[in-house]
């Protein structure tokens, strides 16, 4: 059975999709080999809606519904520095509903390729469930911004991990889960469409292939907000449970075949829903107890706990 994907295309991801589709990818603009191919643009090239999203939602924390009602715009004098502050066109940074999702990239920060993980291994997004009832950040994200949900989403595995509580005084390691899904965000889907539209430019495609080869050993994990411990193990499980390909494309022809396969087997969801909820922590959270048990977790019949132990000795700070 052929693997299928779903591309989210609500107003926010539709906007990001148009930006990454229409903003040209160009080689040779940076001495950093990880940015061998990157987006080239001027401040005036990007739409007003992008700056409103980046300034008031990503940086300002305004919920999307409030942003739609206000229709505020960024001042022209502020536009030049905004893309760099929100990591350019990365949907994980731009859309706070995706703020704790994980992916592999050539370079964590910068205007480089966004779909390297999908093109090299054929995997969708690793999405945070934000399901720790004792973690205030998870409750805040669920209640203020919500989580995107598509009826076409497939979860291939639920990967359990540990993370530090965001309150440094507690120094608690707590449990949470990530879903290995077939979801493609708007930034990556727009990039796929640009690559397909430029399929006759073989010199450009060769440059993209050369950049993707660095995913073998130089890939970086894009994790921006209170990331879990042992990120390497989590991403390896994610790729192992649903990966189609084991290596980056060897040449431009192989790259085009992969792009064609991905576009042909992707359903575009124009109306994904945003779910909201408020966590109900146990009484132990308020009493300062160090126990992190939660009645909602159930063990399977194998008896395997499944939690990925972290290797860090101290809590990391959010990006």
């Amino acid at each position: 059975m052929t693997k299928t994907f779903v591309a989210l295309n609500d107003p926010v991801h539709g906007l990001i999709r148009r930006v990454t589709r229409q903003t040209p990818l160009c080689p040779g603009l940076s001495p950093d080999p990880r940015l061998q191919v990157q987006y080239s643009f001027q401040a005036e090239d990007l739409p007003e809606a992008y700056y409103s999203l980046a300034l008031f939602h990503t940086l300002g924390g305004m919920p999307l519904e409030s942003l739609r009602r206000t229709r505020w715009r960024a001042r022209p004098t502020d536009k030049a520095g905004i893309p760099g502050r929100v990591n350019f066109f990365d949907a994980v940074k731009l859309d706070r509903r995706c703020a704790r999702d994980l992916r592999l990239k050539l370079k964590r920060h910068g205007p480089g390729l966004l779909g390297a993980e999908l093109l090299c291994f054929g995997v969708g997004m690793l999405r945070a469930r934000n399901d720790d009832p004792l973690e205030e950040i998870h409750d805040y994200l669920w209640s203020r911004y919500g989580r995107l949900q598509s009826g076409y989403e497939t979860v291939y595995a639920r990967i359990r991990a540990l993370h530090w509580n965001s309150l440094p005084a507690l120094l608690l390691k707590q449990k949470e889960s990530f879903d290995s899904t077939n979801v493609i965000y708007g930034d990556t889907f727009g990039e796929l469409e640009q690559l397909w539209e430029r399929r006759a430019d073989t010199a450009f495609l060769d440059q993209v292939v050369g950049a993707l080869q660095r995913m073998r050993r130089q890939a970086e994990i894009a994790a921006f907000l209170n990331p879990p411990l042992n990120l390497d193990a989590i991403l390896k499980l994610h790729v192992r449970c649903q990966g189609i390909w084991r290596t980056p494309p060897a040449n431009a022809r192989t790259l085009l075949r992969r792009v064609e396969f991905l576009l042909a087997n992707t359903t575009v969801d124009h109306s994904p829903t945003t779910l909201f909820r408020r966590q109900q922590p146990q009484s132990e959270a308020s009493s300062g107890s160090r126990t992190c048990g939660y009645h909602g977790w159930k063990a399977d019949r194998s008896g395997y706990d499944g939690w990925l132990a972290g290797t860090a000795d101290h809590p990391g700070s959010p990006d």
Side-chain angles (χ1 to χ4, degrees):
M1 183 177 178
T2 303
K3 181 179 178 180
T4 59
F5 297 86
V6 55
L8 304 185
N9 197 51
D10 72 329
V12 171
H13 286 262
L15 166 66
I16 304 172
R17 172 188 174 185
R18 291 191 297 274
V19 170
T20 55
R21 181 177 183 175
Q22 297 169 5
T23 305
L25 285 163
C26 298
L29 299 180
S30 171
D32 189 338
R34 295 168 296 179
L35 294 176
Q36 180 179 341
V37 177
Q38 66 179 53
Y39 289 93
S40 175
F41 63 94
Q42 300 295 326
E44 59 272 14
D45 298 335
L46 303 178
E48 288 289 343
Y50 166 82
Y51 288 109
S52 297
L53 174 70
L55 182 60
F56 301 115
H57 173 70
T58 309
L59 298 176
M62 181 182 292
L64 293 172
E65 186 59 36
S66 300
L67 179 60
R68 281 192 285 267
R69 290 198 301 265
T70 58
R71 298 184 180 181
W72 288 352
R73 292 190 173 189
R75 294 178 298 185
T77 54
D78 296 332
K79 290 181 178 180
I82 290 177
R85 294 180 64 191
V86 297
N87 206 22
F88 300 92
F89 312 133
D90 191 334
V92 175
K93 286 284 283 186
L94 282 169
D95 187 349
R96 288 200 174 205
R97 296 171 297 179
C98 314
R100 298 192 64 253
D101 295 351
L102 306 175
R103 63 165 72 165
L104 290 171
K105 296 175 64 178
L106 285 165
K107 187 175 175 62
R108 183 184 179 204
H109 296 286
L113 291 169
L114 297 162
E117 180 184 54
L118 180 62
L119 290 168
C120 291
F121 308 115
V123 297
M125 284 300 303
L126 183 58
R127 306 187 66 204
R129 292 181 59 83
N130 297 324
D131 54 359
D132 181 357
L134 307 180
E135 175 54 66
E136 293 185 0
I137 287 180
H138 295 188
D139 180 52
Y140 176 78
L141 292 173
W142 267 110
S143 60
R144 185 168 178 82
Y145 304 111
R147 185 178 190 266
L148 279 167
Q149 184 72 33
S150 172
Y152 301 98
E153 179 178 350
T154 299
V155 178
Y156 294 97
R158 184 157 296 168
I159 301 173
R160 298 174 178 176
L162 298 176
H163 70 100
W164 286 108
N165 188 287
S166 58
L167 298 176
L170 295 182
L171 288 177
L172 292 177
K173 285 183 180 179
Q174 297 173 187
K175 302 174 181 179
E176 66 171 319
S177 302
F178 289 81
D179 285 343
S180 177
T181 72
N182 66 335
V183 171
I184 299 175
Y185 287 157
D187 55 352
T188 299
F189 195 66
E191 188 168 282
L192 290 179
E193 292 177 313
Q194 180 178 164
L195 292 175
W196 183 248
E197 290 168 356
R198 299 175 66 180
R199 59 189 179 275
D201 189 348
T202 55
F204 164 70
L205 295 178
D206 287 336
Q207 293 281 353
V208 174
V209 169
L212 292 176
Q213 292 300 316
R214 297 184 178 275
M215 286 289 286
R216 290 175 180 267
R217 294 182 177 86
Q218 299 180 5
E220 296 183 0
I221 300 174
F224 301 107
L225 178 63
N226 194 29
L229 304 178
N230 208 346
L231 284 169
D232 288 340
I234 296 172
L235 268 296
K236 286 178 181 177
L237 284 175
H238 170 54
V239 174
R240 185 187 306 167
C241 74
Q242 64 156 303
I244 302 175
W245 307 295
R246 294 187 176 182
T247 59
N251 49 55
R253 182 182 296 274
T254 304
L255 173 63
L256 278 183
R257 286 177 178 171
R258 293 188 182 186
V259 173
E260 183 179 20
F261 171 84
L262 293 168
L263 292 175
N265 291 281
T266 297
T267 300
V268 179
D269 188 349
H270 297 279
S271 55
T273 57
T274 301
L275 304 179
F276 294 86
R277 79 161 183 246
R278 179 171 289 277
Q279 307 271 21
Q280 295 296 330
Q282 292 180 305
S283 58
E284 289 91 338
S286 58
S287 63
S289 170
R290 294 184 65 87
T291 59
C292 295
Y294 179 52
H295 59 82
W297 294 114
K298 298 183 183 295
D300 59 25
R301 296 180 180 178
S302 69
Y304 172 61
D305 182 85
W307 300 107
L308 292 175
T311 56
D313 295 325
H314 54 82
S317 58
D319 186 85

